[in-house]
Amino acid sequence: MNYNAWFQCSEGCNDTYPLTEIIYRCKNCDGLLEVRHDIDALKSRRADDWKCLFEQRYMRTKYPYGSGVWGKKELVCPTIDDDNIISMYEGGTNLFWAERFGEQLGAPDLWIKQCGNSHTGSFKDLGMTVLVSMVKQIIAEGRDIRAVMCASTGDTSAALAAYASAAGIPAVILLPKEKVTREQLIQPIANGALTLSLETDFDGCMDVVQKLAARKDFYLANSINSLRIEGQKTISIEIVQQFDWDVPDWIIIPGGNLGNVSALGLGFLIMQELGIIDKLPRIACAQAERANPLYRSYQTGFTEFHAITAQSTQATAIQIGNPVSVHRAIRTLRRFDGIVDQATEEELANAAARADRTGLFNCPHTGVALAVLIKMIARKQILPDDRVIVISTANGLKFPNFKVGYHNVAPGEPLPRYLNKPLELEADYEGVLKQIDAHLNA
Ligand SMILES: *Cc1c(COP(=O)(O)O)cnc(C)c1O
Ligand SMILES: [Zn+2]
């Protein structure tokens, strides 16, 4: 069967462009492009046969189909030759049953999708494998791309640098100076990318990179490029597959530039079109209160949207005031009867720390989603029977200062609720035992 996909305007124009064209916006109306699939061709395979095919490939060894992304290749990007695919076995991440945390909250069917357990430590790998593979294909077809580039809050750059260096393609990374963690910064450096620290915030980096990307010899890797969204949409397919093709009731996802929330939606919509599922979940997008332009828009029923200057937040990967994918995110939330909520710095830190006590190790963005989860349960928007998935977007190990800062309070600061300070003791049996007893009897 010949499956096909192409770029098409997301604002309704009929113009289409091949996926190998270097283009990010509609020539007609400047709207973002999205990847469209030949749905009739996909429908020629029955839903049960799709499920069967995906099950056969899932986490097996046949390259690249063991990857959670490329195991769904026909629904993601059927036009790339397997020879051009750069895969690092993306996806296949654990769906952590948060039994203990969920019980504390009154949500026993609570699951955390651990997208940060991945090659570069965030869900960004899911989209980057598709984008960089397409660049390899374009180069193989004879076009000259001198470099791939992106603006980043730290995770996109890590993913781009890793995939580009695996492909042997030069990468250029634009980061806001001193606004990413040391762990995030060292990733593109180690992978040999040209790493530029700009005296601005993420939105400022995005402005510069979009101007650079007007040149046809540079290829833009931000999520304005819908190829990334196609890879990321496998999150939804994989979650449903992990539940033996059952659809959950709620999905809570942290949002910054807002590409991922639309990716999540697209995954469900294509499964619905192919008859793989017969209902949709509701989606909650979680924002940091200090970077909440979508939350503010939601307060107006999405009738208004205003970009803001994002304030500094511990959730640095979503410290974005002018999200490039805001329109597609709003479309998604409308379609999925969605909501938007926000978390303060204290709420996100406490939610992450509280859940850490039940076996997790959450990044601050996951903390934002967990804080919103707690609020939704409190106002009975989520009920005990609901199956809830929280998308954990990155590995907590990429954000050590977030945790060190929480558990190592400066003198005079108020003590956080879930503080756990190490004790410094003499190496003395009696003294050590006394402390253990005191702790266990407390
Ligand atoms: C990129 C990122 C997000 C936000 O995703 P968007 O698609 O920009 O909304 C959230 N958390 C982490 C850890 C990220 O790296
Ligand atoms: Zn258009």
Side-chain angles (χ1 to χ4, degrees):
M1 190 67 212
N2 274 333
Y3 303 107
N4 196 12
W6 56 88
F7 284 130
Q8 192 160 339
C9 174
S10 65
E11 303 294 334
C13 305
N14 285 324
D15 308 34
T16 68
Y17 314 92
L19 295 181
T20 46
E21 190 163 335
I22 302 172
I23 185 169
Y24 318 103
R25 289 181 179 276
C26 172
K27 285 183 184 162
N28 224 1
C29 75
D30 209 40
L32 293 188
L33 298 177
E34 59 191 15
V35 175
R36 291 281 183 83
H37 289 263
D38 180 348
I39 292 290
D40 286 336
L42 292 170
K43 277 183 175 164
S44 68
R45 195 190 283 256
R46 289 173 30 241
D48 281 344
D49 294 334
W50 280 121
K51 293 183 200 171
C52 193
L53 181 69
F54 297 156
E55 296 287 358
Q56 278 167 15
R57 293 171 172 170
Y58 189 59
M59 301 189 79
R60 302 301 295 264
T61 48
K62 186 162 180 264
Y63 187 90
Y65 295 95
S67 150
V69 171
W70 297 107
K72 279 86 183 175
K73 183 183 177 191
E74 294 83 354
L75 276 56
V76 169
C77 198
T79 60
I80 297 187
D81 296 336
D82 285 0
D83 288 347
N84 290 324
I85 288 177
I86 306 291
S87 171
M88 300 179 189
Y89 211 66
E90 309 71 26
T93 52
N94 182 29
L95 194 50
F96 177 102
W97 182 22
E99 184 181 12
R100 204 173 170 75
F101 188 50
E103 216 148 74
Q104 290 175 5
L105 300 179
D109 206 355
L110 173 65
W111 304 75
I112 317 289
K113 180 63 172 161
Q114 296 280 49
C115 297
N117 292 347
S118 176
H119 188 76
T120 70
S122 84
F123 76 84
K124 299 295 199 296
D125 292 346
L126 300 170
M128 211 52 87
T129 181
V130 179
L131 182 137
V132 171
S133 300
M134 182 58 79
V135 174
K136 195 155 180 239
Q137 174 118 347
I138 295 170
I139 293 171
E141 288 178 6
R143 284 206 58 163
D144 181 32
I145 294 179
R146 288 164 62 218
V148 287
M149 54 184 62
C150 72
S152 177
T153 53
D155 289 331
T156 297
S157 43
L160 178 61
Y163 282 88
S165 60
I169 300 168
V172 179
I173 307 298
L174 282 70
L175 292 170
K177 194 176 164 195
E178 283 163 15
K179 293 192 174 70
V180 306
T181 69
R182 197 181 60 147
E183 287 67 19
Q184 291 173 314
L185 178 61
I186 198 62
Q187 290 182 289
I189 292 173
N191 287 134
L194 175 62
T195 306
L196 308 171
S197 273
L198 305 192
E199 302 271 4
T200 180
D201 57 7
F202 169 80
D203 297 294
C205 291
M206 196 68 214
D207 282 345
V208 176
V209 85
Q210 291 204 54
K211 288 187 189 121
L212 290 168
R215 302 174 50 119
K216 292 293 177 200
D217 52 350
F218 295 154
Y219 194 86
L220 181 64
N222 281 97
S223 58
I224 183 173
N225 186 327
S226 332
L227 289 167
R228 279 191 37 210
I229 305 291
E230 289 304 292
Q232 289 170 206
K233 84 183 184 195
T234 59
I235 290 180
S236 342
I237 309 176
E238 190 167 290
I239 288 171
V240 171
Q241 181 173 4
Q242 285 172 310
F243 283 119
D244 293 328
W245 307 100
D246 261 357
V247 178
D249 298 296
W250 274 103
I251 302 197
I252 307 177
I253 183 170
N257 222 5
L258 302 176
N260 209 25
V261 61
S262 19
L264 187 73
L266 283 178
F268 283 104
L269 291 175
I270 197 162
M271 284 190 286
Q272 190 185 44
E273 272 195 289
L274 299 180
I276 295 172
I277 58 173
D278 56 11
K279 64 165 194 170
L280 299 176
R282 295 185 70 188
I283 295 178
C285 183
Q287 291 211 296
E289 189 188 39
R290 296 174 67 82
N292 64 353
L294 186 68
Y295 175 76
R296 293 176 191 216
S297 170
Y298 177 67
Q299 297 302 303
T300 72
F302 293 132
T303 54
E304 286 179 40
F305 173 80
H306 303 288
I308 61 170
T309 300
Q311 306 298 302
S312 102
T313 164
Q314 297 169 95
T316 47
I318 54 175
Q319 188 177 320
I320 296 175
N322 188 14
V324 70
S325 291
V326 62
H327 295 300
R328 42 186 177 197
I330 290 174
R331 263 200 302 276
T332 303
L333 289 168
R334 289 203 158 121
R335 184 77 195 263
F336 285 76
D337 195 10
I339 70 145
V340 185
D341 206 343
Q342 62 178 0
T344 65
E345 294 302 296
E346 193 185 353
E347 285 167 343
L348 75 89
N350 278 330
R354 182 176 177 188
D356 283 358
R357 290 283 185 99
T358 64
L360 290 153
F361 192 76
N362 295 295
C363 78
H365 325 86
T366 307
V368 171
L370 293 171
V372 164
L373 165 77
I374 291 169
K375 293 181 187 194
M376 292 176 72
I377 294 171
R379 59 175 180 250
K380 299 198 166 26
Q381 201 161 23
I382 288 175
L383 298 172
D385 282 344
D386 286 337
R387 172 166 288 168
V388 185
I389 318 295
V390 170
I391 305 292
S392 174
T393 44
N395 195 305
L397 290 169
K398 293 184 93 172
F399 302 87
N401 288 350
F402 170 59
K403 297 212 183 284
V404 173
Y406 189 91
H407 292 291
N408 192 7
V409 263
E413 290 288 311
L415 297 183
R417 200 175 314 163
Y418 304 98
L419 177 71
N420 186 22
K421 249 179 128 55
L423 298 177
E424 290 177 10
L425 301 178
E426 299 291 322
D428 161 57
Y429 170 80
E430 293 295 337
V432 169
L433 182 61
K434 208 172 122 206
Q435 287 295 346
I436 295 173
D437 278 338
H439 174 78
L440 293 179
N441 295 336

